[in-house]
Amino acid sequence: MARPEFHIFLCGQRRAEGHPRGSCAAKGSEALYNAFYQVLIQHNLSNRVALTTTGCLGPCQAGANVLIYPGSVMYSWVEPADAAIIVEQHLLGGAPYADKLTPAEIW
């Protein structure tokens, strides 16, 4: 893979059920990863965008969380249906998807 223009980090942290911080895995991060993967393929972006599952990104209460570089843009409460909007609006259009931006008070 060539050097990516964007890197999408998707939290895949898994914690025991009932853990006080919760986890993005319990909030659907696996389905979210698959949604991003499919959208990147549909837009022929797999050579321009790296997609990586990570451990905890921080605001567990707001998961599933996605962090995009460059720019350090974090999205929270992300669901599979949001993947296409984030790719099209942020990566292709150059404007963050305001509806899912992580609030400054939690990140």
Side-chain angles (χ1 to χ4, degrees), residues 34-48:
N34 292 333
F36 269 104
Y37 182 78
Q38 291 301 316
V39 172
L40 293 174
I41 289 172
Q42 290 168 359
H43 287 284
N44 197 27
L45 294 173
S46 52
N47 287 329
R48 294 176 47 203

Side-chain angles (χ1 to χ4, degrees), residues 7-106:
H7 202 135
I8 301 171
F9 295 96
L10 196 149
C11 180
Q13 179 69 46
R14 184 173 304 281
R15 293 192 178 95
E17 189 173 329
H19 189 282
R21 291 185 68 190
S23 72
C24 287
K27 296 175 182 169
S29 65
E30 186 175 339
L32 182 57
Y33 180 94
N34 292 333
F36 269 104
Y37 182 78
Q38 291 301 316
V39 172
L40 293 174
I41 289 172
Q42 290 168 359
H43 287 284
N44 197 27
L45 294 173
S46 52
N47 287 329
R48 294 176 47 203
V49 179
L51 178 62
T52 304
T53 302
T54 70
C56 186
L57 292 172
C60 304
Q61 73 278 21
N65 295 298
V66 174
L67 179 61
I68 298 181
Y69 282 97
S72 300
V73 177
M74 185 178 283
Y75 295 100
S76 294
W77 299 284
V78 183
E79 299 174 4
D82 299 317
I85 299 167
I86 291 170
V87 168
E88 292 165 6
Q89 189 170 321
H90 182 144
L91 277 57
L92 297 174
Y97 177 39
D99 289 358
K100 294 291 177 159
L101 286 173
T102 305
E105 59 271 10
I106 64 171

